[in-house]
Coordinates of all heavy atoms in Angstrom, one line a residue:
G1 N 2.8 -8.1 -9.8 CA 3.6 -6.8 -9.7 C 4.8 -6.9 -8.8 O 5.2 -8.0 -8.3
T2 N 5.5 -5.8 -8.8 CA 6.7 -5.6 -7.9 C 6.7 -4.2 -7.3 O 6.1 -3.3 -7.8 CB 8.0 -5.8 -8.7 OG1 8.0 -4.8 -9.8 CG2 8.2 -7.2 -9.2
Y3 N 7.3 -4.1 -6.1 CA 7.5 -2.8 -5.4 C 8.9 -2.6 -5.3 O 9.7 -3.4 -4.8 CB 6.8 -2.9 -4.0 CG 5.5 -3.6 -3.9 CD1 5.4 -4.9 -3.5 CD2 4.3 -2.9 -4.3 CE1 4.2 -5.5 -3.4 CE2 3.1 -3.5 -4.1 CZ 3.0 -4.8 -3.7 OH 1.8 -5.4 -3.6
R4 N 9.4 -1.4 -5.8 CA 10.8 -1.0 -5.6 C 10.9 0.3 -4.8 O 10.3 1.3 -5.2 CB 11.4 -0.8 -7.0 CG 11.5 -2.1 -7.8 CD 12.1 -1.8 -9.2 NE 13.6 -1.6 -9.1 CZ 14.3 -0.9 -10.0 NH1 13.6 -0.2 -10.9 NH2 15.6 -0.8 -9.9
F5 N 11.6 0.2 -3.7 CA 11.8 1.3 -2.8 C 13.1 2.1 -3.1 O 14.1 1.5 -3.2 CB 11.8 0.8 -1.4 CG 10.5 0.3 -0.8 CD1 10.1 -0.9 -1.2 CD2 9.7 1.1 0.0 CE1 8.9 -1.4 -0.7 CE2 8.5 0.7 0.5 CZ 8.1 -0.6 0.1
F6 N 12.9 3.4 -3.3 CA 14.1 4.2 -3.6 C 14.3 5.3 -2.5 O 13.3 5.9 -2.1 CB 13.8 5.0 -5.0 CG 13.8 4.1 -6.2 CD1 12.7 3.4 -6.5 CD2 14.9 4.1 -7.0 CE1 12.7 2.6 -7.6 CE2 14.9 3.3 -8.2 CZ 13.8 2.5 -8.5
S7 N 15.5 5.5 -2.2 CA 15.8 6.7 -1.4 C 16.0 7.9 -2.3 O 16.1 7.7 -3.5 CB 17.1 6.5 -0.6 OG 18.2 6.5 -1.4
G8 N 15.9 9.1 -1.7 CA 16.1 10.3 -2.5 C 14.7 10.8 -3.0 O 13.7 10.4 -2.4
T9 N 14.7 11.6 -4.0 CA 13.4 12.2 -4.5 C 13.1 11.8 -5.9 O 14.0 11.5 -6.7 CB 13.5 13.7 -4.4 OG1 14.7 14.2 -5.2 CG2 13.7 14.1 -3.0
A10 N 11.9 11.8 -6.3 CA 11.4 11.6 -7.6 C 10.8 12.9 -8.2 O 10.0 13.5 -7.4 CB 10.5 10.4 -7.7
R11 N 11.0 13.2 -9.4 CA 10.4 14.4 -10.0 C 9.1 14.0 -10.6 O 9.1 13.3 -11.7 CB 11.3 15.0 -11.0 CG 12.6 15.6 -10.4 CD 13.4 16.3 -11.4 NE 14.6 17.0 -10.8 CZ 15.5 17.7 -11.6 NH1 15.3 17.8 -12.9 NH2 16.5 18.2 -11.0
L12 N 8.0 14.3 -10.0 CA 6.7 14.0 -10.5 C 6.1 15.2 -11.1 O 6.4 16.4 -10.8 CB 5.8 13.4 -9.4 CG 5.8 11.9 -9.2 CD1 7.2 11.4 -8.9 CD2 4.8 11.5 -8.2
P13 N 5.1 15.1 -12.1 CA 4.6 16.2 -12.8 C 3.8 17.2 -11.8 O 3.4 16.7 -10.8 CB 3.6 15.6 -13.8 CG 4.1 14.2 -14.0 CD 4.6 13.8 -12.6
E14 N 3.6 18.4 -12.3 CA 2.8 19.3 -11.5 C 1.4 18.8 -11.4 O 0.9 18.3 -12.3 CB 2.9 20.7 -12.2 CG 2.2 21.8 -11.4 CD 2.3 23.1 -12.1 OE1 3.1 23.3 -13.1 OE2 1.6 24.1 -11.7
G15 N 0.8 19.0 -10.2 CA -0.5 18.5 -10.0 C -0.6 17.1 -9.4 O -1.7 16.5 -9.3
S16 N 0.6 16.5 -9.0 CA 0.6 15.1 -8.5 C 0.4 15.1 -7.0 O 0.4 14.0 -6.4 CB 1.9 14.5 -8.9 OG 3.0 15.2 -8.3
E17 N 0.1 16.2 -6.4 CA -0.1 16.2 -4.9 C -1.3 15.4 -4.5 O -2.4 15.5 -5.2 CB -0.2 17.6 -4.4 CG 1.1 18.5 -4.5 CD 1.3 19.0 -5.9 OE1 0.4 18.9 -6.7 OE2 2.4 19.5 -6.1
V18 N -1.2 14.6 -3.5 CA -2.3 13.8 -3.0 C -2.9 14.6 -1.8 O -2.3 14.9 -0.9 CB -1.8 12.4 -2.5 CG1 -2.9 11.7 -1.8 CG2 -1.2 11.6 -3.6
V19 N -4.2 14.8 -1.9 CA -4.9 15.6 -0.9 C -5.8 14.8 0.0 O -5.7 14.9 1.2 CB -5.8 16.7 -1.6 CG1 -6.6 17.5 -0.6 CG2 -5.0 17.6 -2.5
E20 N -6.6 13.9 -0.6 CA -7.6 13.2 0.2 C -7.2 11.7 0.5 O -7.8 11.1 1.4 CB -9.0 13.1 -0.5 CG -9.6 14.5 -0.7 CD -10.9 14.4 -1.5 OE1 -11.3 13.3 -1.8 OE2 -11.5 15.5 -1.7
H21 N -6.3 11.2 -0.2 CA -6.0 9.7 0.0 C -4.5 9.5 0.3 O -3.9 8.5 -0.1 CB -6.3 9.0 -1.4 CG -7.8 9.1 -1.7 ND1 -8.7 8.2 -1.1 CD2 -8.5 9.8 -2.5 CE1 -9.9 8.5 -1.5 NE2 -9.8 9.5 -2.4
S22 N -4.0 10.3 1.3 CA -2.6 10.1 1.7 C -2.3 8.8 2.4 O -1.2 8.3 2.5 CB -2.1 11.3 2.5 OG -2.9 11.5 3.6
T23 N -3.3 8.3 3.1 CA -3.2 7.0 3.9 C -3.9 5.9 3.2 O -3.9 4.7 3.7 CB -3.7 7.2 5.3 OG1 -5.1 7.4 5.3 CG2 -3.0 8.4 6.0
S24 N -4.6 6.1 2.1 CA -5.4 5.0 1.5 C -4.6 3.8 1.1 O -5.1 2.7 1.3 CB -6.2 5.6 0.3 OG -7.1 6.6 0.7
F25 N -3.5 4.0 0.5 CA -2.7 2.8 0.0 C -2.3 2.0 1.2 O -2.5 0.7 1.2 CB -1.5 3.3 -0.8 CG -0.6 2.1 -1.2 CD1 -1.1 1.2 -2.1 CD2 0.7 2.0 -0.7 CE1 -0.3 0.1 -2.6 CE2 1.5 0.9 -1.2 CZ 1.0 0.0 -2.1
L26 N -1.8 2.6 2.3 CA -1.4 1.9 3.5 C -2.6 1.2 4.1 O -2.5 0.0 4.5 CB -0.7 2.8 4.5 CG -0.3 2.2 5.8 CD1 0.7 1.1 5.6 CD2 0.3 3.3 6.7
D27 N -3.8 1.9 4.2 CA -5.0 1.3 4.7 C -5.4 0.0 4.0 O -5.7 -1.0 4.6 CB -6.1 2.3 4.7 CG -5.9 3.5 5.6 OD1 -5.0 3.4 6.5 OD2 -6.5 4.5 5.4
V28 N -5.3 0.1 2.7 CA -5.8 -1.1 1.9 C -4.8 -2.2 2.0 O -5.2 -3.4 2.2 CB -5.9 -0.7 0.4 CG1 -6.0 -1.9 -0.5 CG2 -7.1 0.2 0.2
V29 N -3.5 -2.0 2.1 CA -2.5 -3.0 2.2 C -2.7 -3.7 3.6 O -2.6 -4.9 3.8 CB -1.1 -2.5 2.1 CG1 -0.1 -3.6 2.3 CG2 -0.9 -1.9 0.7
E30 N -2.9 -2.9 4.6 CA -3.1 -3.4 6.0 C -4.3 -4.2 6.1 O -4.4 -5.3 6.7 CB -3.1 -2.3 7.0 CG -1.8 -1.6 7.3 CD -1.8 -0.5 8.3 OE1 -2.9 0.1 8.4 OE2 -0.8 -0.3 9.0
S31 N -5.4 -3.8 5.4 CA -6.7 -4.6 5.4 C -6.5 -5.9 4.7 O -7.0 -6.9 5.2 CB -7.8 -3.8 4.7 OG -8.0 -2.6 5.4
F32 N -5.7 -5.9 3.6 CA -5.5 -7.1 2.9 C -4.7 -8.1 3.7 O -5.0 -9.3 3.7 CB -4.8 -6.8 1.6 CG -4.5 -8.0 0.7 CD1 -5.4 -8.5 -0.2 CD2 -3.3 -8.8 0.9 CE1 -5.2 -9.6 -0.9 CE2 -3.1 -9.9 0.1 CZ -4.0 -10.3 -0.8
Q33 N -3.7 -7.6 4.4 CA -2.8 -8.4 5.2 C -3.6 -9.0 6.4 O -3.5 -10.2 6.7 CB -1.6 -7.7 5.8 CG -0.7 -8.5 6.7 CD 0.0 -9.6 6.1 OE1 -0.2 -9.9 4.9 NE2 0.7 -10.4 6.9
L34 N -4.5 -8.2 7.0 CA -5.4 -8.7 8.1 C -6.3 -9.8 7.6 O -6.5 -10.8 8.3 CB -6.2 -7.5 8.7 CG -7.1 -7.9 9.8 CD1 -6.4 -8.5 11.0 CD2 -7.9 -6.6 10.2
K35 N -6.9 -9.6 6.4 CA -7.8 -10.6 5.8 C -7.0 -11.9 5.6 O -7.5 -13.0 5.9 CB -8.3 -10.1 4.5 CG -9.2 -11.1 3.8 CD -9.7 -10.5 2.5 CE -10.5 -11.6 1.7 NZ -10.9 -11.1 0.4
R36 N -5.8 -11.8 5.1 CA -4.9 -13.0 4.9 C -4.6 -13.7 6.2 O -4.7 -14.9 6.2 CB -3.6 -12.5 4.2 CG -2.7 -13.7 3.9 CD -1.5 -13.2 3.1 NE -1.7 -13.0 1.7 CZ -0.8 -12.6 0.9 NH1 0.5 -12.3 1.3 NH2 -1.1 -12.4 -0.4
V37 N -4.3 -13.0 7.2 CA -4.0 -13.6 8.5 C -5.3 -14.3 9.1 O -5.2 -15.4 9.6 CB -3.5 -12.5 9.5 CG1 -3.5 -13.1 10.9 CG2 -2.2 -12.0 9.1
I38 N -6.4 -13.7 9.0 CA -7.7 -14.3 9.5 C -8.0 -15.5 8.7 O -8.3 -16.6 9.3 CB -8.8 -13.3 9.4 CG1 -8.6 -12.1 10.3 CG2 -10.2 -14.0 9.7 CD1 -9.6 -11.0 10.2
E39 N -7.9 -15.5 7.4 CA -8.2 -16.7 6.5 C -7.2 -17.8 6.8 O -7.6 -19.0 6.8 CB -8.1 -16.3 5.1 CG -9.3 -15.4 4.6 CD -9.2 -14.9 3.2 OE1 -8.0 -15.1 2.6 OE2 -10.1 -14.4 2.7
S40 N -5.9 -17.4 7.1 CA -4.9 -18.5 7.4 C -5.3 -19.1 8.7 O -5.1 -20.3 8.9 CB -3.5 -17.8 7.5 OG -2.6 -18.8 7.9
G41 N -5.8 -18.3 9.7 CA -6.1 -18.9 11.0 C -7.3 -19.8 10.9 O -7.4 -20.8 11.6
L42 N -8.3 -19.5 10.1 CA -9.5 -20.2 9.9 C -9.3 -21.6 9.2 O -10.1 -22.5 9.3 CB -10.6 -19.4 9.1 CG -11.2 -18.2 9.8 CD1 -12.1 -17.5 8.9 CD2 -11.9 -18.6 11.1
S43 N -8.2 -21.6 8.4 CA -7.9 -22.8 7.7 C -7.4 -24.0 8.5 O -7.3 -25.1 8.1 CB -6.8 -22.5 6.6 OG -5.6 -22.2 7.2
F44 N -7.0 -23.7 9.8 CA -6.5 -24.8 10.7 C -7.6 -25.4 11.4 O -8.7 -24.8 11.7 CB -5.5 -24.2 11.7 CG -4.2 -23.8 11.1 CD1 -3.9 -22.5 10.7 CD2 -3.2 -24.8 10.8 CE1 -2.7 -22.2 10.1 CE2 -2.0 -24.5 10.3 CZ -1.7 -23.2 9.9

């Protein structure tokens, strides 16, 4: 995949509001990065 960051606003359909998982994407990415760092350290 790719990630593209845009300034400004995007028009998303009605009903696209995030209620319960506003931090979930960040949490998963941080967990993946931590796992990668740990595995890198164990490889030495």
Side-chain angles (χ1 to χ4, degrees):
T2 57
Y3 317 99
R4 294 177 76 208
F5 289 80
F6 291 77
S7 70
T9 57
R11 294 183 178 180
L12 270 60
E14 185 177 349
S16 59
E17 292 77 12
V18 174
V19 179
E20 297 180 2
H21 295 282
S22 60
T23 65
S24 296
F25 179 65
L26 180 59
D27 292 342
V28 167
V29 177
E30 287 180 332
S31 297
F32 181 88
Q33 177 64 4
L34 179 60
K35 178 183 176 183
R36 179 178 281 182
V37 170
I38 293 172
E39 290 176 347
S40 176
L42 291 175
S43 67
F44 286 99

